Amino acid sequence: MAEVTWEQVAPGVHVRRHEELNLNCGLVVGSERALVIDTRSYHEHGMELLAAVREVTDLEVVVVNTHAHYDHCFGNSAFRDSQIYAHSGAVDDLVRTAEIQREAIVAHMRRTDREHIARAIEMTEIVMPFYLVEEDTELDLGGRVATLMHRGRGHTDHDLVVGVPDAGVVFMGDLVEEGADPHMEDAYPLEWGATVRAFLDSDLGADSGTWVPGHGLVVDRAFVEDQASLLERLAARLRELLDAGALGVDGLVSGCRGLGLEDQTLRDAAVRALELRTP
Ligand SMILES: [Zn+2]
């Protein structure tokens, strides 16, 4: 297995990409506290991440979950002594879906012959974030701040972005994805592009050159602009097709081909667009 290490993307700002799902976790080190961004999929994974954090810093650790998908927050149980921040919508989502997510991922692990991971996820205690964010929130890490921001619905209805203004780094969670299509299953395809655009247009975004997706390689501003444009084109096309009336999922999918997204992505987006349109 390839060695997993922290990549320092700016002074005191680190990214750790994991083989499983190409998931990125972040670490921002101040002079008094360190911020960990996302906690991986289950307790042992969280413990392994915590051990990696301890190789970089002994400071008190604060945690933020970018959203309520299991791969970003089921490792919280390893950080139960820390303040864990998330958007309030993430807690609502976890209350509703944590056990459903657990069941689905355990079944998937069993189907793909990964019994030990299935067991580990079954045994993991779901630890809720309990510092809830609804407006921009600055975390003082000592000598630097990290800003938690929500700008509307996109990958979920509660995506939190973490900006490190002094370093020009933005952790986008799954609002941006590198190496795979944006993941639409719980998404708001008619709004996602505008939400990413809002971050690009923000003071923080304008000054930031390093953007960390939830999965895949660290990217630059141009990549995020391309992804915003793609999502805006998808939204415009979906809206046109919906306004033209009476199209099912298949009609929406075929109408959106040619944008450069996979059929499965278009299918998920179409299902969501139709669901969300129903009053
Ligand atoms: Zn996600």
Side-chain angles (χ1 to χ4, degrees), residues 66-72 155-156 159 173-175 177 183 186 215:
T66 57
H67 62 292
H69 286 155
Y70 77 97
D71 48 328
H72 301 262
H155 175 66
T156 66
D159 305 288
D174 287 358
L175 281 170
E177 178 119 22
H183 195 83
D186 296 324
H215 304 262

Side-chain angles (χ1 to χ4, degrees), residues 3-16:
E3 198 188 350
V4 183
T5 52
W6 292 106
E7 174 195 356
Q8 183 158 232
V9 297
V13 183
H14 310 260
V15 177
R16 191 172 194 256

Side-chain angles (χ1 to χ4, degrees), residues 73-74 76-77 80 94 98-99 102 121 124-128:
C73 63
F74 277 20
N76 281 0
S77 58
R80 58 171 66 252
L94 278 172
E99 292 308 324
R102 189 207 298 271
I121 294 170
T124 291
E125 184 188 343
I126 308 297
V127 172
M128 294 285 173

Side-chain angles (χ1 to χ4, degrees), residues 25-36:
C25 293
L27 175 64
V28 184
V29 184
S31 61
E32 290 163 27
R33 303 198 291 173
L35 176 65
V36 171

